[in-house]
Amino acid sequence: MIREKKTSDDGATGPERPPGGVRHDSSADATELPISADGTLEVIPDSEEERRAREQEAAEAAAKYDAESRVRQIRWRPLALLISAVAIFTAVYHLYTAYFGAPPTLIHRSLHVSLILFLVFMLYPPSRKAQAAWWRIPDAALALLSLVPAWYMWSNYEQIVLQAGRFTTSDIVVATLLVVLVLEAARRVTGWALPILALLFVLFGLYGRELPGLLRHRGYDWNTLADQFYTTTEGIFGTAIGVSSTYIFLFILFGAFLAKSGMSQMFNDLALAIAGQGRGGPAKVATLASGFMGSINGSAIANVVSTGAFTIPLMKKIGYSRNFAGAVESSASVGGQVLPPIMGAAAFIMAETIGVPYTTVALAAIVPALLYYVSLIAQIHLRATRMGLQGIAKENLPDVLGVLKDRGHLLIPLAFLLYMLFFSGRTILYSAFLTILVTIAVAMLRRTSRMSLRDVLQALEDGTRSALGVAVACASVGVIVGVVTISGFGVTLASAIVQLSGGVLFWTLVMTMLACLVLGMGLPSIPAYIVTATMAAPALTTLGVEPLVAHLFVFYFGLFANITPPVALAAFAASGISGGKPMATGGAAFKLASAGFVIPYMFVYNPDLLLRDVDLLTGVTVVASALVAVLLLGVALEGHFMVVMAWYLRLVLAVGAVMMLSADVLYDVIGVALVIAVLGVQLLRARSAGKLSLKAI
């Protein structure tokens, strides 16, 4: 392993040095990095002990910040086999229903929830300290009780459907049991934030008569709320669980098969081969690999832990600070969930919520997502230039053709999925089902990816386990949505936001953004989107913003709560791997992701950026101007263009870049003038410093 050059935790870089040279630091702790003849970094492969240490750091970070990773170890073989059998059955059931069709809606969704709850109580202890064997007895009792709601729904389905709002005592008992089980399971898997939020909404539903002002409503007794949660499709068995029991589960299962075939290793190797040799190569590798995997796995924290264990040490090796390395990984992992085609499964929920085809959502999200990643890579590159960092020596990197020859066939399932989703005309469920079969078949083509029967069964189990967190979160969100629906709180909140903003779109956007950042604190991305879409998006549609645009807006900000201090869970997890300070890593991630906070405003004021119903010339013009603007914003944030940029020039450049994003021609002209002036000053300063060269950018 190479010796690590120490940099300050706040990302300070010290004096500049010419590209390709070695920056010397007068501090006693500084060491010289080994640079090859071509100016790149010679990376010595880690030893087995160092690799294990990295994995241990990642596991500890996951256990600290990702509740989903706190699974108990099952050592009693009969119990382990039972849990595996239930998990595999759950996966096979969902595959069967994807191809042959599902039973009636309430039966299918209740069975999905019951199976998920059963596995959660068997796998997740009630707390970190509750690892003693005797805890399995009450947990086994809860697991068995989890099957009651599905059994009761199956046995009394016709009566429940025909009673049309009238409920019996047994209905209320089972409904109450389901709510308690769902919230307890959510606490174990996702932490306290979601169940506490759900309980607050339950109290809001019960005591609405006593609340002041806009919060007041008629109030409902527990029987009415329980009936709403259990016997309708506007509660726990609502849209969120509907999508979880179909699209989300199937695509998480697809991701499990990809992982088992070695897709994650292929993404890492391909990213290394493409970007590893450039300036700040490992950081660019982290951005590409995390973006690819984040789109598929749907969990920012899980993505940070899995890819970060590989990419963060590489970033630290070439000289990035611990905080910046963690910030790159967390901001790239979060961004993966706005990246089509899968968008961490949020695209399917969004399509169901607003009633548009999935392809409409995926196509609209492409340009904003690419702009976000262009901004990330630009800042990474500028930071590397300013610090005089280089990439990894070519001889230490995999070859693109070699990677494609060895594992390139694994791209076939992704290409097949895109064809099925966008061109075949078949349903999403059928497309997902068939793609999983294609993945298994394609993996058999090469020995390096071939899966045995044991591997297939393991992938089925892994897929089910990975789906537990999302499914439980969706069920918990159903409690919130049920109260919001019956009380009309969504309309009330939208009216309040519009009134406070005076009906001005910009201030409505700002208030909606703040509401989404608060509501998204501590929540996984999918429930964060559902909560914000239910309560914040109506404020925007009230002012005439298109539903798709409004939902993308709240999705971005609900998602970026994961890297926004004070509760930036993805950044905190990355800091656990990098050894940086959690809050400092969160601040660095917030800065890196700044374009992600601007882009939603861009497509609200200029919906042409989503490429919906625009001609070719308009589309090219809009995308090009947006691309230039986000690049300039990255320059302003990093404060480097050939030479270091003064703070006031950075401020003027940032203002000019933002003005260029406006659809108003006058603002565009002023923005261009400001940008030209700042860049002109920088060129003159670079000339006087002898650094007027493209290599200095």
Side-chain angles (χ1 to χ4, degrees), residues 286-298:
T287 303
L288 295 176
S290 299
F292 284 135
M293 293 307 298
S295 179
I296 295 173
N297 66 18

Side-chain angles (χ1 to χ4, degrees), residues 203-218:
L203 294 175
F204 170 75
L206 291 173
Y207 300 105
R209 290 180 183 272
E210 284 75 35
L211 295 175
L214 292 173
L215 295 177
R216 181 176 298 169
H217 61 89
R218 58 176 291 186

Side-chain angles (χ1 to χ4, degrees), residues 233-561:
T233 55
E234 295 178 337
I236 291 175
F237 301 141
T239 300
I241 275 296
V243 179
S244 170
S245 64
T246 50
Y247 310 134
I248 293 177
F249 193 97
L250 265 291
F251 279 94
I252 289 177
L253 197 59
F254 169 57
F257 276 97
L258 286 180
K260 184 60 68 174
S261 66
M263 174 63 81
S264 58
Q265 183 62 48
M266 195 273 288
F267 277 149
N268 284 338
D269 289 346
L270 195 58
L272 271 172
I274 293 172
Q277 196 175 7
R279 290 180 192 167
K284 296 173 182 176
V285 169
T287 303
L288 295 176
S290 299
F292 284 135
M293 293 307 298
S295 179
I296 295 173
N297 66 18
S299 172
I301 299 177
N303 197 33
V304 165
V305 171
S306 60
T307 60
F310 165 74
T311 59
I312 288 175
L314 275 180
M315 285 186 271
K316 291 168 62 180
K317 283 179 182 179
I318 70 163
Y320 284 118
S321 72
R322 295 186 291 269
N323 295 329
F324 188 79
V328 169
E329 179 58 45
S330 55
S331 55
S333 295
V334 167
Q337 290 162 92
V338 299
L339 184 66
I342 299 176
M343 297 172 63
F348 306 112
I349 295 182
M350 195 178 298
E352 287 288 314
T353 302
I354 60 181
V356 299
Y358 154 79
T359 52
T360 300
V361 175
L363 291 172
I366 288 177
V367 171
L370 293 180
L371 289 175
Y372 175 75
Y373 277 98
V374 166
S375 173
L376 277 185
I377 292 175
Q379 290 185 70
I380 288 166
H381 179 85
L382 291 168
R383 174 68 64 99
T385 302
R386 182 158 62 97
M387 295 177 67
L389 304 180
Q390 294 299 311
I392 301 172
K394 186 176 182 179
E395 58 268 22
N396 297 130
L397 292 172
D399 176 63
V400 173
L401 293 179
V403 174
L404 293 177
K405 181 180 179 181
D406 188 41
R407 294 183 183 270
H409 61 290
L410 296 178
L411 295 173
I412 294 175
L414 293 177
F416 180 79
L417 175 63
L418 292 176
Y419 166 77
M420 292 296 295
L421 291 175
F422 289 95
F423 304 107
S424 71
R426 307 304 291 265
T427 66
I428 297 175
L429 278 181
Y430 181 80
S431 300
F433 170 80
L434 205 57
T435 302
I436 290 173
L437 297 184
V438 169
T439 302
I440 298 173
V442 168
M444 298 298 177
L445 296 177
R446 297 297 301 271
R447 184 176 58 83
T448 54
S449 60
R450 192 168 297 145
M451 287 184 278
S452 64
L453 177 60
R454 180 185 293 272
D455 291 330
V456 171
L457 294 176
Q458 187 64 55
L460 291 171
E461 181 178 355
D462 291 345
T464 300
R465 288 191 177 214
S466 299
L468 296 180
V470 176
V472 167
C474 287
S476 301
V477 167
V479 175
I480 299 171
V481 173
V483 175
V484 169
T485 302
I486 198 172
S487 66
F489 180 69
V491 177
T492 302
L493 183 61
S495 300
I497 292 175
V498 172
Q499 286 180 20
L500 288 173
S501 63
V504 178
L505 178 59
F506 176 76
W507 295 115
T508 303
L509 291 172
V510 171
M511 296 191 67
T512 303
M513 174 189 72
L514 295 175
C516 292
L517 290 174
V518 172
L519 291 170
M521 281 185 182
L523 298 183
S525 57
I526 289 177
Y529 161 68
I530 297 170
V531 171
T532 54
T534 303
M535 292 185 284
L540 301 182
T541 56
T542 300
L543 294 181
V545 178
E546 292 184 50
L548 176 57
V549 177
H551 280 253
L552 278 174
F553 184 90
V554 301
F555 176 55
Y556 263 75
F557 289 114
L559 181 65
F560 283 119

